[in-house]
Structures are given as C-alpha cells and as structure tokens.
Amino acid sequence: MNICIIGSGNISMNIGLALKKSSFNINKICSRNELTGLKLAEKLDSNFSKEIIIPKNTDLVILGVPDDQISKISKEIKCKAIIHTSGTRNINILKNCSENYGVVWPIQTFTKQEVNFKDIPICIEANSKKFEILLKSLFLNLSENVFEMNIQNRKIIHLSAVFSCNFINHLFYISKNILNDKKIDFSILKPIIYETTNKAFRYSIRENQTGPAKRKDFKTIEKHLGILSKAKKKKYINIYKSMTDSIIATYENKL
Amino acid sequence: MNICIIGSGNISMNIGLALKKSSFNINKICSRNELTGLKLAEKLDSNFSKEIIIPKNTDLVILGVPDDQISKISKEIKCKAIIHTSGTRNINILKNCSENYGVVWPIQTFTKQEVNFKDIPICIEANSKKFEILLKSLFLNLSENVFEMNIQNRKIIHLSAVFSCNFINHLFYISKNILNDKKIDFSILKPIIYETTNKAFRYSIRENQTGPAKRKDFKTIEKHLGILSKAKKKKYINIYKSMTDSIIATYENKL
C-alpha cells in the first residue's frame, strides 16, 4: 500500500512515523514548508514536493494539515482514496477528491515529540462501509483502539479534549509562571498533579474536588487575587475568577 | 511521642494514618463532627472528644481544620507544641497556644482516599530552629521530601497548586459532563490527559501547547462556543473564553 501525506507538521510526522514502523510505504510528502517537508520525507524514505503532486501509484492520501486549511487544499486533489485527520471537520469536504473519503482522528495531542500509538483511541468515519473496513484494518496496525465515530460525537469529544488537554496545558504554563518568579521548580507540583489525574480515573471527579473555591474560603480566594493583581500576573485573574465561580456554583447545585 | 489531632476531615485522616503507620501514638482526636471523629479515633486507636480537651501527656497538637477556622480554634488551645497544616496561613496565629509553633504543609490534595506520603513534598516552618529540626526529623518518617519554606513562598506554591490541581480537577469535571450527554465514557480521554501531563515534566510546557486557540482557529472556537451555548452548557462559556483568550495572548507575546 502506497500512502501520500500532505503536510509536514506534528500530526503528519507522528502518523507517518507510526505507519512506517508498521511497514507501510510512504511514497510522498507534499508540503509548502520545504524545511519540515524535506526533513520528514528523509525520515520516511519518501519523495518530496512543495506542490501537491500525488504519485499515480498512491492508494491513500492523508491530509495532515490544520483544520482550517483542509477545505482549500482538498480542492487541488484527485485520488483513489483520501482522509483528513481532524476531530471537527465533516468528511464531506473531501467528496470531490475521491470516491473513497473519510477521517482518521487520533485522540491525542501531537507536538514535535514522537508518541506511541498503541493505546491512542483512533476515531474513524468513511463514506462507505467498504472504505470504513479498509481504514479500520489499516489503523489497527497502529493502535488497538480503533472505532467508528460520527461527526456529532467527534465534535463533542474534541470539545471535551480542549478542556482536558489544551486548557490543562495552559494551567501548567500559568502554574510554572507563578512559581518562576520565586525561583521555585515546577516539579514540586508533580505529586499533586499526578494524584489529581490518577484520582480522576479511579474515584468520583465530583467528590475529588478540593481547594478554597470548594470550601468557599473567600479569605484565601481574596489573597490569591491579591497576588495575581501584582504586575505581570493580572492577565490570569479572568481565568482564576471564571474557574472559581464555576466551582462554587457546581457545589451549590445552582448550575 | 504522643500526638493529638484536632479535626477529623481529609487532612487529619491522612496525616493521622501516615503517623500511625510510622508507629507514632495518636492519643486523641478532637472534632466537632462526632461521626467522622469517632471513626477516625477508632482507626487510629485513639480517644475521642467533641470538645477540645488535650491530654496532659500530649507532645504535639496537629490542627487539621479548614484554613479559615485555624485562628478561632487556636484561641482554645494551650499545649507543649502545635502546628497547623495550611499552605496559606502564617504560623504566628498559633503564638498564644504554645512556646513551640509552626506549620507542616504537605503539597497534596486530600480526599477520603488514603494517599502514600512517601513522595509528597512537605513544607515546614517553625518559630525556632530547635522546633524546626524536631518537626523535620518527625516528618522525614513520612516523606523523603521535607524542607523549610517560608510563608511567602508557601502562598505562591499554594496559588500555583490551585491552578494545577483544583482547577484541573474542575476541567476534568466539565469534560466528563460534556461527554456524558452523548453517553461517551470519560476514559476515552485517558491517553491524551496522561500525555499532556507527562509532557509537562519532560519538555517545554510552552512548546507543548496545541489546540484551536494556539492555532488561532477561530472557526473551531466558534463551533465550540456554539455547542456550549446549548442548554446546560452555557455555564462553561466564561471558562472557555478566558482560557482561549489567555492562550491566544500568550502566543502573540502580547502579555
């Protein structure tokens, strides 16, 4: 099976490496970014072009581009089969590219660091049962956790992942930023962070809540707002207040 | 060494159990809550009273009560040595109780579930070097990670822990709430959550950021706000917006 990947960012790199490890042939990388494109093509023993020129022997095109570029880029493509990798976009935006189109969305956060696909849940949707079965059998080589998921549920999972991944990473960033001023290492929070995460999958998240907002300890909340009011930390007051208000409301059963 | 614990909530239970496991004698539990107080006294082979009556042979009193009750309760106490367990309160609020006073603050989130103290960082402060050394040697029996930390730094760590523990648990709660409506199990996010957390301690948190806010993908952000605008999810819009604004600003280097 010959696979052509459009894009050379984090998702293209991670899917490309995982497919190559499972002995699939990546015949081409197309990417506007010559630097990352050539680098990825070299890693995957693939050809490279800046323009979207798909080799004739290509069995599957994988669109690994940012969500808001899928629609535009897809207009340039004709091929045997194509998928995008977005949690939020409909598969229909690819209907003019091919007779076989769909999505393969790994529920994971991809940065420059290579990830192990084995445990990653992979959501699949296709325009036909036949193509769905093909996609499923293909991606079962990468992960043990591949399943059909329609766009409505994919969007819901994507939204909840924004809360549980993107926002959480930003909270880590803020925590580290607060500690940095006093030259305290962020690793001091490692045990409490892992305990919070482990508990979420073992006990009731509702019961796990602790802290001044849960206790309605307004004196401590005021002190925290006072610290944030000092130079360079004011920017985090909106987050502190919106999170605190929501926690208070949750445990008052008003919401 | 005879230790009397005031309070029978999560922190009293967890410290009591850890001290007992290290073969210390908990001679008394005093708690207004007769139900949890008697239960904890039984677990720790201790006596119990609803009023604060400290046995004469007590060497150390541990105040395991909520932060905003420490000051009031401390007015009732006279003893050989006393500590509170708060990250945010000064040790001086105990100066009328004893010649030896201080704080032992474990950086951890305590709920009804018993935790393993071994890796928990424990911050200590005392009114004298002698009492500090005693507290340190005592709590080194519970954790390998005991150190002196003044009130200014303790408050900073406490604030950053609110972001990285209390707020993160609430984001888990929201994520689960969003998924629940579609009957999707929260465990589908387990790999992405652990990847986010593992990466925070391995790579640059700033570089780890992904998601629509980081990419300035306003189309996806609008879709997410649309989903939240539907009944019963509006309450999370403030959090979504404040987090998204802060991420956008962070990567525009405006803040």
Side-chain angles (χ1 to χ4, degrees):
Chain A
M1 192 177 209
N2 294 309
I3 298 168
C4 170
I5 298 176
I6 319 277
S8 58
N10 298 326
I11 191 150
S12 294
M13 185 200 81
N14 272 284
I15 288 189
L17 286 171
L19 286 167
K20 189 177 156 64
K21 272 191 186 163
S22 295
S23 303
F24 290 96
N25 180 44
I26 316 298
N27 63 352
K28 183 82 179 279
I29 301 294
C30 306
S31 173
R32 283 181 309 180
N33 186 326
E34 207 165 340
L35 193 74
T36 57
L38 272 168
K39 206 172 153 186
L40 183 58
E42 196 181 334
K43 268 190 188 172
L44 302 176
D45 294 325
S46 311
N47 291 317
F48 169 77
S49 69
K50 232 178 146 179
E51 289 75 40
I52 298 177
I53 304 164
I54 295 161
K56 279 194 178 158
N57 66 347
T58 301
D59 300 298
L60 176 67
V61 173
I62 299 178
L63 265 178
V65 300
D67 291 5
D68 51 7
Q69 291 174 34
I70 298 170
S71 179
K72 185 174 162 271
I73 291 173
S74 68
K75 291 192 175 71
E76 300 177 45
I77 302 171
K78 294 283 175 205
C79 58
K80 285 184 206 159
I82 183 167
I83 52 171
H84 67 62
T85 51
S86 159
T88 64
R89 297 302 193 266
N90 211 294
I91 60 169
N92 294 340
I93 53 174
L94 303 176
K95 68 180 174 193
N96 294 323
C97 303
S98 176
E99 282 176 19
N100 302 295
Y101 54 93
V103 58
V104 168
W105 180 50
I107 308 178
Q108 188 51 283
T109 172
F110 295 105
T111 52
K112 284 184 191 73
Q113 317 302 334
E114 197 181 334
V115 300
N116 180 358
F117 264 78
K118 203 175 73 62
D119 301 318
I120 299 176
I122 297 183
C123 300
I124 281 184
E125 193 187 354
N127 70 315
S128 69
K129 199 70 197 169
K130 194 182 149 200
F131 189 46
E132 185 192 312
I133 290 165
L134 187 141
L135 286 177
K136 197 167 177 182
S137 71
L138 174 59
F139 283 90
L140 274 170
N141 290 289
L142 271 60
S143 165
E144 292 164 5
N145 200 2
V146 181
F147 45 84
E148 207 278 331
M149 184 69 73
N150 66 28
I151 179 68
Q152 285 75 25
N153 285 359
R154 221 160 60 227
K155 279 180 182 172
I156 290 293
I157 297 170
H158 188 267
L159 172 61
S160 69
V162 164
F163 279 91
S164 273
C165 162
N166 305 151
F167 291 174
I168 281 178
N169 188 71
H170 192 57
L171 292 181
F172 289 153
Y173 179 81
I174 294 170
S175 281
K176 191 169 182 171
N177 189 293
I178 291 168
L179 293 173
N180 267 356
D181 287 0
K182 300 276 179 184
K183 306 213 183 310
I184 301 166
D185 198 284
F186 178 64
S187 65
I188 202 169
L189 296 182
K190 197 170 175 176
I192 198 173
I193 287 170
Y194 274 97
E195 179 74 4
T196 303
T197 305
N198 292 338
K199 271 184 176 170
F201 296 100
R202 282 182 201 157
Y203 313 115
S204 154
I205 295 176
R206 193 180 165 88
E207 300 296 320
N208 292 346
Q209 190 66 52
T210 60
K214 167 76 182 295
R215 293 194 306 272
K216 289 190 213 165
D217 175 357
F218 295 109
K219 194 171 166 185
T220 300
I221 290 168
E222 282 309 312
K223 280 184 183 178
H224 284 167
L225 289 171
I227 298 173
L228 292 174
S229 287
K230 289 182 187 167
K232 291 186 184 172
K233 299 281 174 285
K234 265 191 187 140
K235 58 196 174 190
Y236 302 131
I237 284 181
N238 278 347
I239 290 175
Y240 189 97
K241 282 187 175 171
S242 63
M243 294 293 309
T244 295
D245 289 350
S246 183
I247 294 169
I248 290 172
T250 300
Y251 293 90
E252 284 187 336
N253 294 315
K254 270 188 186 166
L255 288 186
Chain B
M1 192 177 209
N2 293 310
I3 298 168
C4 169
I5 298 176
I6 318 278
S8 58
N10 298 326
I11 191 149
S12 295
M13 185 199 81
N14 272 284
I15 289 188
L17 286 172
L19 286 167
K20 189 177 156 65
K21 273 191 185 163
S22 296
S23 304
F24 290 96
N25 180 44
I26 316 298
N27 64 351
K28 182 83 178 281
I29 301 293
C30 306
S31 172
R32 284 181 308 180
N33 188 325
E34 208 166 338
L35 194 74
T36 56
L38 271 168
K39 206 172 153 186
L40 182 58
E42 197 181 334
K43 267 189 189 174
L44 302 177
D45 293 325
S46 312
N47 291 317
F48 167 78
S49 70
K50 233 179 143 176
E51 289 74 39
I52 298 177
I53 305 164
I54 296 162
K56 279 193 177 154
N57 67 347
T58 300
D59 301 297
L60 176 68
V61 173
I62 299 178
L63 265 178
V65 301
D67 291 5
D68 51 6
Q69 291 175 34
I70 297 171
S71 178
K72 185 175 161 272
I73 291 174
S74 67
K75 292 190 176 70
E76 300 177 44
I77 301 171
K78 295 281 175 207
C79 58
K80 286 184 205 156
I82 184 167
I83 53 171
H84 67 62
T85 51
S86 158
T88 65
R89 296 304 193 264
N90 210 294
I91 60 169
N92 295 338
I93 55 175
L94 303 176
K95 68 180 175 191
N96 294 322
C97 303
S98 176
E99 281 176 18
N100 302 295
Y101 54 93
V103 58
V104 169
W105 180 51
I107 308 178
Q108 188 52 283
T109 172
F110 295 105
T111 53
K112 285 186 191 72
Q113 317 303 333
E114 198 181 335
V115 300
N116 179 359
F117 263 77
K118 203 174 73 61
D119 301 318
I120 298 176
I122 298 184
C123 301
I124 281 185
E125 193 186 353
N127 70 314
S128 69
K129 198 70 198 166
K130 193 181 147 200
F131 190 46
E132 185 191 311
I133 290 165
L134 187 141
L135 287 176
K136 197 167 177 182
S137 72
L138 174 58
F139 283 90
L140 274 170
N141 290 290
L142 271 60
S143 165
E144 293 163 4
N145 200 2
V146 182
F147 45 83
E148 206 279 332
M149 184 70 73
N150 66 28
I151 179 68
Q152 285 76 25
N153 285 359
R154 219 160 62 227
K155 279 180 182 171
I156 289 292
I157 297 169
H158 189 268
L159 172 60
S160 70
V162 164
F163 279 91
S164 272
C165 162
N166 303 152
F167 291 175
I168 280 178
N169 189 70
H170 192 57
L171 291 181
F172 290 151
Y173 179 81
I174 294 171
S175 280
K176 192 170 181 169
N177 189 292
I178 291 169
L179 293 172
N180 267 357
D181 286 359
K182 301 276 178 184
K183 307 211 184 309
I184 300 166
D185 197 284
F186 178 64
S187 66
I188 203 171
L189 297 182
K190 197 170 176 178
I192 198 172
I193 287 169
Y194 274 97
E195 179 73 4
T196 304
T197 305
N198 292 337
K199 272 185 176 171
F201 296 100
R202 283 182 200 156
Y203 313 115
S204 153
I205 295 176
R206 192 180 167 87
E207 300 296 320
N208 292 346
Q209 189 66 51
T210 60
K214 166 76 182 293
R215 292 193 308 271
K216 290 189 212 165
D217 177 355
F218 294 109
K219 195 172 165 185
T220 300
I221 290 168
E222 282 309 311
K223 280 183 182 178
H224 283 167
L225 289 170
I227 297 172
L228 292 174
S229 287
K230 288 182 187 167
K232 290 185 186 175
K233 298 283 173 286
K234 266 192 185 135
K235 57 196 176 191
Y236 302 131
I237 285 181
N238 279 347
I239 290 176
Y240 189 98
K241 282 187 175 171
S242 63
M243 294 294 308
T244 295
D245 290 348
S246 182
I247 295 170
I248 290 172
T250 300
Y251 293 89
E252 285 187 337
N253 293 316
K254 270 186 186 168
L255 289 185

Short mmCIF file of all heavy atoms in Angstrom, two decimals, chain A residues 36-62:
data_model
loop_
_atom_site.label_atom_id
_atom_site.label_comp_id
_atom_site.label_asym_id
_atom_site.label_seq_id
_atom_site.Cartn_x
_atom_site.Cartn_y
_atom_site.Cartn_z
N THR A 36 10.55 21.54 6.94
CA THR A 36 9.99 20.39 7.68
C THR A 36 9.60 19.28 6.70
O THR A 36 9.68 18.09 7.03
CB THR A 36 8.76 20.81 8.52
OG1 THR A 36 7.79 21.40 7.64
CG2 THR A 36 9.13 21.81 9.58
N GLY A 37 9.18 19.66 5.49
CA GLY A 37 8.77 18.68 4.48
C GLY A 37 9.92 17.77 4.09
O GLY A 37 9.79 16.53 4.07
N LEU A 38 11.05 18.36 3.74
CA LEU A 38 12.23 17.57 3.33
C LEU A 38 12.72 16.69 4.48
O LEU A 38 13.10 15.54 4.28
CB LEU A 38 13.35 18.51 2.89
CG LEU A 38 13.32 18.90 1.41
CD1 LEU A 38 14.29 20.07 1.14
CD2 LEU A 38 13.68 17.71 0.52
N LYS A 39 12.68 17.27 5.69
CA LYS A 39 13.14 16.53 6.88
C LYS A 39 12.27 15.28 7.11
O LYS A 39 12.79 14.19 7.37
CB LYS A 39 13.05 17.46 8.09
CG LYS A 39 14.01 17.13 9.21
CD LYS A 39 13.98 18.22 10.26
CE LYS A 39 14.34 17.69 11.63
NZ LYS A 39 14.19 18.69 12.68
N LEU A 40 10.96 15.48 6.99
CA LEU A 40 10.04 14.35 7.20
C LEU A 40 10.20 13.32 6.08
O LEU A 40 10.22 12.11 6.34
CB LEU A 40 8.59 14.85 7.28
CG LEU A 40 7.53 13.78 7.55
CD1 LEU A 40 7.82 13.03 8.86
CD2 LEU A 40 6.13 14.39 7.63
N ALA A 41 10.32 13.80 4.83
CA ALA A 41 10.49 12.88 3.69
C ALA A 41 11.74 12.02 3.90
O ALA A 41 11.73 10.81 3.65
CB ALA A 41 10.60 13.69 2.40
N GLU A 42 12.78 12.63 4.42
CA GLU A 42 14.03 11.89 4.66
C GLU A 42 13.81 10.81 5.73
O GLU A 42 14.20 9.65 5.56
CB GLU A 42 15.11 12.87 5.12
CG GLU A 42 16.52 12.31 5.03
CD GLU A 42 17.57 13.32 5.51
OE1 GLU A 42 17.28 14.54 5.43
OE2 GLU A 42 18.63 12.90 5.98
N LYS A 43 13.12 11.21 6.81
CA LYS A 43 12.83 10.25 7.90
C LYS A 43 12.02 9.06 7.41
O LYS A 43 12.13 7.95 7.93
CB LYS A 43 12.01 10.96 9.00
CG LYS A 43 12.83 11.57 10.10
CD LYS A 43 11.91 12.03 11.23
CE LYS A 43 12.67 12.82 12.28
NZ LYS A 43 11.80 13.43 13.26
N LEU A 44 11.14 9.32 6.43
CA LEU A 44 10.20 8.28 5.98
C LEU A 44 10.65 7.63 4.66
O LEU A 44 9.89 6.84 4.08
CB LEU A 44 8.80 8.89 5.82
CG LEU A 44 8.19 9.55 7.06
CD1 LEU A 44 6.85 10.19 6.73
CD2 LEU A 44 8.02 8.53 8.19
N ASP A 45 11.85 7.95 4.21
CA ASP A 45 12.34 7.44 2.91
C ASP A 45 11.36 7.75 1.79
O ASP A 45 11.04 6.88 0.96
CB ASP A 45 12.58 5.92 2.97
CG ASP A 45 13.71 5.57 3.91
OD1 ASP A 45 14.67 6.34 3.99
OD2 ASP A 45 13.61 4.51 4.58
N SER A 46 10.85 8.97 1.77
CA SER A 46 9.82 9.34 0.78
C SER A 46 10.37 10.38 -0.18
O SER A 46 11.40 11.01 0.07
CB SER A 46 8.63 9.98 1.49
OG SER A 46 8.21 9.20 2.57
N ASN A 47 9.66 10.59 -1.27
CA ASN A 47 9.93 11.74 -2.12
C ASN A 47 9.28 12.97 -1.50
O ASN A 47 8.44 12.86 -0.60
CB ASN A 47 9.37 11.50 -3.53
CG ASN A 47 10.16 10.41 -4.23
OD1 ASN A 47 11.38 10.37 -4.16
ND2 ASN A 47 9.43 9.49 -4.87
N PHE A 48 9.63 14.12 -2.03
CA PHE A 48 9.06 15.36 -1.51
C PHE A 48 8.77 16.34 -2.64
O PHE A 48 9.49 16.41 -3.62
CB PHE A 48 10.06 16.03 -0.54
CG PHE A 48 9.67 17.44 -0.17
CD1 PHE A 48 8.67 17.67 0.76
CD2 PHE A 48 10.28 18.54 -0.79
CE1 PHE A 48 8.29 18.97 1.08
CE2 PHE A 48 9.90 19.84 -0.48
CZ PHE A 48 8.90 20.05 0.46
N SER A 49 7.63 17.04 -2.52
CA SER A 49 7.43 18.20 -3.39
C SER A 49 6.71 19.30 -2.63
O SER A 49 5.94 19.03 -1.72
CB SER A 49 6.65 17.84 -4.67
OG SER A 49 5.32 17.52 -4.35
N LYS A 50 6.99 20.53 -3.01
CA LYS A 50 6.35 21.67 -2.38
C LYS A 50 4.90 21.78 -2.84
O LYS A 50 4.01 22.14 -2.09
CB LYS A 50 7.12 22.95 -2.74
CG LYS A 50 7.49 23.78 -1.54
CD LYS A 50 8.29 25.00 -1.89
CE LYS A 50 7.92 26.12 -0.94
NZ LYS A 50 8.64 27.35 -1.15
N GLU A 51 4.69 21.46 -4.14
CA GLU A 51 3.34 21.49 -4.69
C GLU A 51 2.66 20.14 -4.42
O GLU A 51 3.32 19.14 -4.19
CB GLU A 51 3.35 21.75 -6.20
CG GLU A 51 3.73 23.15 -6.57
CD GLU A 51 5.23 23.38 -6.40
OE1 GLU A 51 6.02 22.47 -6.74
OE2 GLU A 51 5.60 24.46 -5.86
N ILE A 52 1.32 20.16 -4.52
CA ILE A 52 0.58 18.91 -4.32
C ILE A 52 0.55 18.13 -5.63
O ILE A 52 -0.28 18.36 -6.51
CB ILE A 52 -0.84 19.19 -3.79
CG1 ILE A 52 -0.73 19.88 -2.42
CG2 ILE A 52 -1.63 17.89 -3.68
CD1 ILE A 52 -2.06 20.29 -1.81
N ILE A 53 1.53 17.23 -5.78
CA ILE A 53 1.58 16.35 -6.96
C ILE A 53 1.59 14.92 -6.42
O ILE A 53 2.59 14.47 -5.83
CB ILE A 53 2.85 16.62 -7.79
CG1 ILE A 53 2.91 18.11 -8.19
CG2 ILE A 53 2.87 15.73 -9.04
CD1 ILE A 53 4.29 18.55 -8.68
N ILE A 54 0.45 14.26 -6.58
CA ILE A 54 0.29 12.94 -5.97
C ILE A 54 0.73 11.84 -6.95
O ILE A 54 0.23 11.79 -8.07
CB ILE A 54 -1.18 12.73 -5.55
CG1 ILE A 54 -1.52 13.76 -4.44
CG2 ILE A 54 -1.44 11.32 -5.06
CD1 ILE A 54 -3.00 13.99 -4.24
N PRO A 55 1.65 10.98 -6.56
CA PRO A 55 2.11 9.92 -7.45
C PRO A 55 0.95 9.01 -7.88
O PRO A 55 0.03 8.76 -7.09
CB PRO A 55 3.11 9.14 -6.61
CG PRO A 55 3.54 10.07 -5.52
CD PRO A 55 2.36 10.95 -5.27
N LYS A 56 1.03 8.51 -9.13
CA LYS A 56 -0.08 7.69 -9.68
C LYS A 56 -0.33 6.41 -8.89
O LYS A 56 -1.44 5.93 -8.81
CB LYS A 56 0.22 7.36 -11.14
CG LYS A 56 -0.13 8.53 -12.05
CD LYS A 56 -0.16 8.12 -13.50
CE LYS A 56 -0.56 9.33 -14.34
NZ LYS A 56 -0.13 9.21 -15.73
N ASN A 57 0.76 5.84 -8.35
CA ASN A 57 0.59 4.56 -7.62
C ASN A 57 0.07 4.74 -6.19
O ASN A 57 0.07 3.80 -5.40
CB ASN A 57 1.91 3.79 -7.62
CG ASN A 57 2.99 4.52 -6.79
OD1 ASN A 57 2.84 5.68 -6.43
ND2 ASN A 57 4.07 3.81 -6.50
N THR A 58 -0.38 5.96 -5.84
CA THR A 58 -0.84 6.22 -4.46
C THR A 58 -2.20 5.57 -4.19
O THR A 58 -3.15 5.76 -4.95
CB THR A 58 -0.95 7.75 -4.22
OG1 THR A 58 0.33 8.33 -4.44
CG2 THR A 58 -1.44 8.05 -2.82
N ASP A 59 -2.26 4.79 -3.11
CA ASP A 59 -3.53 4.13 -2.73
C ASP A 59 -4.35 4.98 -1.75
O ASP A 59 -5.56 4.87 -1.70
CB ASP A 59 -3.22 2.78 -2.09
CG ASP A 59 -2.47 1.87 -3.03
OD1 ASP A 59 -3.04 1.54 -4.09
OD2 ASP A 59 -1.31 1.54 -2.74
N LEU A 60 -3.65 5.79 -0.96
CA LEU A 60 -4.34 6.59 0.05
C LEU A 60 -3.60 7.91 0.27
O LEU A 60 -2.37 7.93 0.41
CB LEU A 60 -4.40 5.83 1.38
CG LEU A 60 -5.00 6.57 2.58
CD1 LEU A 60 -6.50 6.81 2.38
CD2 LEU A 60 -4.77 5.79 3.88
N VAL A 61 -4.37 9.00 0.28
CA VAL A 61 -3.81 10.31 0.61
C VAL A 61 -4.25 10.67 2.03
O VAL A 61 -5.44 10.57 2.35
CB VAL A 61 -4.28 11.40 -0.38
CG1 VAL A 61 -3.82 12.79 0.08
CG2 VAL A 61 -3.76 11.11 -1.78
N ILE A 62 -3.30 11.07 2.86
CA ILE A 62 -3.63 11.52 4.22
C ILE A 62 -3.39 13.03 4.31
O ILE A 62 -2.28 13.50 4.08
CB ILE A 62 -2.77 10.80 5.29
CG1 ILE A 62 -3.03 9.29 5.24
CG2 ILE A 62 -3.07 11.35 6.69
CD1 ILE A 62 -2.20 8.47 6.23
#
